[in-house]
Amino acid sequence: DAKTTQPTSMDCAEGRAANLPCNHSTISGNEYVYWYRQIHSQGPQYIIHGLKNNETNEMASLIITEDRKSSTLILPHATLRDTAVYYCIVRVAINGNQFYFGTGTSLTVIP
Amino acid sequence: DSGVTQTPKHLITATGQRVTLRCSPRSGDLSVYWYQQSLDQGLQFLIQYYNGEERAKGNILERFSAQQFPDLHSELNLSSLELGDSALYFCASSVGQGAGSPLHFGNGTRLTVT
């Protein structure tokens, strides 16, 4: 698995965009980038994933650099309920588990 | 709501005992994963099943076992419990095994061993 590097913590003002970076410099061509978040001991919540192209859904946008060595999760208008630990995960396309959670980024949305 | 159901939500038991945690995957999902999250620890992968067959093992202790039944629900059995087994246990499911299939997690079972 390609390892990921994320900031330990970040703050964001309520209503502003939250941009969460992730480095995955050893990613391979068939590995997907996934983002999850976990709100205080609840189950991790799927946010978005992508392979090469940028992706957008109702929760967030995922921007993947052209060389695929880094990505950014964008929450367009952060709310207090977005305060959580955000995990960037790189997943390989083979059988079996390819989902290894790191330590993530603790995002605090400030009123 | 992810659609993954885990029971019970809370479990308190004594050292040396045996417990069974249950997971019902989302409708249509064939793959089930089990994870352990201890206090202040990250999520540790335990084991994966796909359509009834074991497909991958992570850091699962020999005292722990799991299975996936024909109706696709899964059970995680923990025996000879120790204090250190106290943790949140999460189940996740996905449609397939491919890397493009997101995992959807339940809200976990909190196990306390006293």
Side-chain angles (χ1 to χ4, degrees):
Chain A
D1 278 340
K3 291 187 176 180
T4 62
T5 304
Q6 299 178 252
T8 302
S9 63
M10 293 180 62
D11 293 337
C12 177
E14 187 178 17
R16 303 296 295 269
N19 296 281
L20 290 89
C22 179
N23 287 322
H24 30 78
S25 58
T26 60
I27 193 170
S28 299
N30 61 351
E31 292 180 329
Y32 284 75
V33 178
Y34 277 79
W35 284 84
Y36 280 76
R37 70 182 182 184
Q38 188 175 25
I39 300 172
H40 189 54
S41 296
Q42 295 180 17
Q45 179 187 23
Y46 166 73
I47 301 173
I48 198 166
H49 74 286
L51 183 61
K52 296 180 180 178
N53 300 322
N54 298 336
E55 302 289 342
T56 295
N57 62 20
E58 65 278 5
M59 289 183 67
S61 294
L62 173 61
I63 308 299
I64 303 174
T65 58
E66 193 169 344
D67 63 6
R68 303 187 69 241
K69 293 184 177 182
S70 66
S71 60
T72 301
L73 178 74
I74 301 173
L75 307 178
H77 306 287
T79 70
L80 299 180
R81 288 183 297 179
D82 292 322
T83 293
V85 177
Y86 287 77
Y87 296 98
C88 170
I89 302 161
V90 173
R91 188 181 194 191
V92 67
I94 58 173
N95 283 342
N97 176 64
Q98 319 92 22
F99 246 70
Y100 293 95
F101 287 78
T103 53
T105 296
S106 178
L107 175 70
T108 301
V109 180
I110 302 169
Chain B
D1 182 9
S2 69
V4 177
T5 303
Q6 291 188 246
T7 57
K9 290 185 179 179
H10 302 277
L11 199 49
I12 301 174
T13 189
T15 54
Q17 295 298 305
R18 180 180 188 274
V19 297
T20 297
L21 312 183
R22 182 187 170 101
C23 170
S24 294
R26 295 190 322 159
S27 177
D29 284 1
L30 299 178
S31 198
V32 169
Y33 304 74
W34 286 96
Y35 284 80
Q36 179 194 54
Q37 187 173 35
S38 302
L39 189 64
D40 295 330
Q41 296 287 317
L43 286 128
Q44 300 294 318
F45 167 68
L46 296 178
I47 198 164
Q48 179 212 355
Y49 283 83
Y50 177 78
N51 203 20
E53 294 186 5
E54 181 185 305
R55 285 304 175 97
K57 263 186 175 181
N59 300 319
I60 187 166
L61 300 172
E62 287 191 7
R63 300 184 286 110
F64 295 0
S65 65
Q67 55 184 325
Q68 186 180 27
F69 294 86
D71 67 353
L72 301 177
H73 90 272
S74 179
E75 293 180 356
L76 178 66
N77 300 297
L78 315 176
S79 61
S80 302
L81 285 168
E82 303 175 359
L83 295 177
D85 297 327
S86 296
L88 275 165
Y89 290 85
F90 292 106
C91 169
S93 71
S94 66
V95 170
Q97 298 185 93
S101 295
L103 272 60
H104 298 276
F105 285 80
N107 276 325
T109 293
R110 182 178 293 278
L111 174 65
T112 302
V113 182
T114 62

